[in-house]
Amino acid sequence: MQVPLNDLRRTTATVADSRRAAFSRVLERGSFVLGPEVDGFEREFAAYCGVAHCVTVGNGSDALELALRALGVEPGGEVATVANAAMYSTLAIINCGVTPIYADVEESTLTMSPSSLAGVLSERTSAVIVTHLYGRLADMQALRAVARSRNLPLIEDCAQAHGAHLSARRAGSLGEAGCFSFYPTKNLGALGDGGAITTNDRALAERLRSLRQYGWDRKYHVAIDGGRNSRLDEMQAAFLRTHLPHLDIQNARRRAIACAYADRIRHPLIRPLPAGGEESVAHLAVVRSAQRDALRIHLERHGVATDIHYPIPDHRQPVMEDQGRRISLPVTERACAEVLSLPCFPALEDAELDHVITTCNTWVA
Ligand SMILES: *Cc1c(COP(=O)(O)O)cnc(C)c1O
């Protein structure tokens, strides 16, 4: 049996007919950028997240960078983030002319540690970006308390956590701004690139609408510094509107898969990350092993595709050079050497899931 890590053909097949209808609708209307589909999606996604405003942009990386700019982060200074989330937040910070500083992560969840955050903030820090890694909400209550005590805006990186919620509050409504990616493999995915920022702050939303379109406050009138072209197109917005009604059901299936791994993988050298709870939407199902590379080869031999999210911590990336070498983040560094992602997508079949679990349990290390 061959089990893929993900299979977008299967996931999109469930909404193929409504996507064809969406395609025709947009084609026939003849409006392709910032039209009624984008308006409709922004309204529907804001309502879904439980916020007042959603501003769509070209991708999740732009969402992070424009959120920093709109919150008034100026060149110089520092922004705090984590180093185990594939450089996305680090790049947004660097692109704003700011130095990234890193909090270590919690051993149990691999999301930002509130006490580590408190230890790295300084007078020069102007914002915090928290990543809901693998689809699990970070400890927002404690992280907000730390950010509040310093009067710092908190940006959620929700690119892996569409729909995750804590009591009644969803990802994207727990900080000053929530940044989303709609890259095709994300829990809510377009058929190309896309992104959005959610917020309850009307003035912030207005600045973002300017920044995504050349810095215009009105047509051909550039009033806001740092603008660019970063818009979601009508076709992608229409596709996202067909996917959104299925998101909760798909997230429930992802969660059930991650729970099955957590409950049924019984091996002294494999530790699944905690699963379950509405605060996780299991974007990825991740296990840890000190012998990760050997486990990966074993799974591959038995037809099970895996990947590593992510192998290199941000401060060890080549572009970070000397600045990164001086930083030590023990929990982050150990995790990067041990994490392995198992197949997890809504259309994964039970027989495939069983095969992955059996293959893990019969591994002779
Ligand atoms: C995918 C992702 C991004 C970047 O989104 P793009 O749309 O690819 O630019 C940012 N943060 C996290 C955590 C992601 O998983």
Side-chain angles (χ1 to χ4, degrees), residues 52-320:
H53 310 280
C54 167
V55 180
T56 54
V57 293
N59 56 67
S61 300
D62 280 356
L64 289 166
E65 188 179 332
L66 294 180
L68 288 170
R69 288 184 195 280
L71 283 164
V73 168
E74 301 275 352
E78 303 168 344
V79 167
T81 188
V82 289
N84 67 337
M87 281 298 274
Y88 302 115
S89 56
T90 293
L91 285 172
I93 293 164
I94 291 173
N95 289 340
C96 288
V98 176
T99 303
I101 55 170
Y102 297 107
D104 211 343
V105 294
E106 296 283 0
E107 178 69 35
S108 53
T109 57
L110 303 186
T111 55
M112 186 183 272
S113 154
S115 60
S116 179
L117 176 66
V120 299
L121 297 177
S122 79
E123 294 299 302
R124 305 181 62 227
T125 315
S126 54
V128 179
I129 302 179
V130 174
T131 304
H132 301 313
L133 193 71
Y134 307 147
R136 172 168 298 279
L137 292 182
D139 183 356
M140 290 303 287
Q141 220 168 353
L143 292 166
R144 279 178 72 95
V146 174
R148 280 249 172 89
S149 71
R150 303 283 195 128
N151 235 337
L152 295 175
L154 207 155
I155 298 173
E156 300 174 79
D157 183 343
C158 307
Q160 306 188 351
H162 319 67
H165 59 103
L166 193 66
S167 32
R169 300 191 58 184
R170 286 200 197 264
S173 72
L174 300 161
E176 272 58 49
C179 297
F180 290 85
S181 165
F182 306 119
Y183 183 76
T185 59
K186 309 294 185 182
N187 293 41
L188 180 63
L191 304 184
D193 280 311
I197 303 105
T198 53
T199 183
N200 281 314
D201 180 338
R202 169 185 285 277
L204 183 72
E206 245 149 57
R207 281 196 296 282
L208 287 164
R209 287 185 197 284
S210 254
L211 287 169
R212 76 173 170 185
Q213 184 151 252
Y214 322 116
W216 287 354
D217 62 347
R218 58 178 196 269
K219 209 171 182 185
Y220 307 131
H221 192 264
V222 179
I224 304 231
D225 206 23
R228 68 179 61 179
N229 175 5
S230 183
R231 298 174 295 214
L232 187 70
D233 63 68
E234 285 284 284
M235 213 51 104
Q236 298 308 334
F239 293 146
L240 288 165
R241 295 178 84 184
T242 67
H243 191 174
L244 185 56
H246 301 269
L247 179 60
D248 285 342
I249 288 169
Q250 292 186 352
N251 280 345
R253 175 61 181 159
R254 286 178 183 271
R255 199 182 289 122
I257 291 165
C259 285
Y261 289 141
D263 293 344
R264 291 166 51 203
I265 291 178
R266 299 257 170 255
H267 194 292
L269 293 173
I270 307 174
R271 283 171 293 141
L273 254 58
E278 304 268 281
E279 69 274 20
S280 170
V281 290
H283 173 63
L284 295 169
V286 174
V287 298
R288 294 182 63 166
S289 176
Q291 296 184 45
R292 187 253 321 269
D293 296 340
L295 172 61
R296 193 171 190 202
I297 290 167
H298 167 78
L299 287 164
E300 193 178 278
R301 279 206 190 109
H302 290 80
V304 177
T306 61
D307 205 346
I308 296 167
H309 299 95
Y310 298 93
I312 306 172
D314 294 12
H315 60 296
R316 297 285 182 255
Q317 291 283 355
V319 292
M320 298 304 285

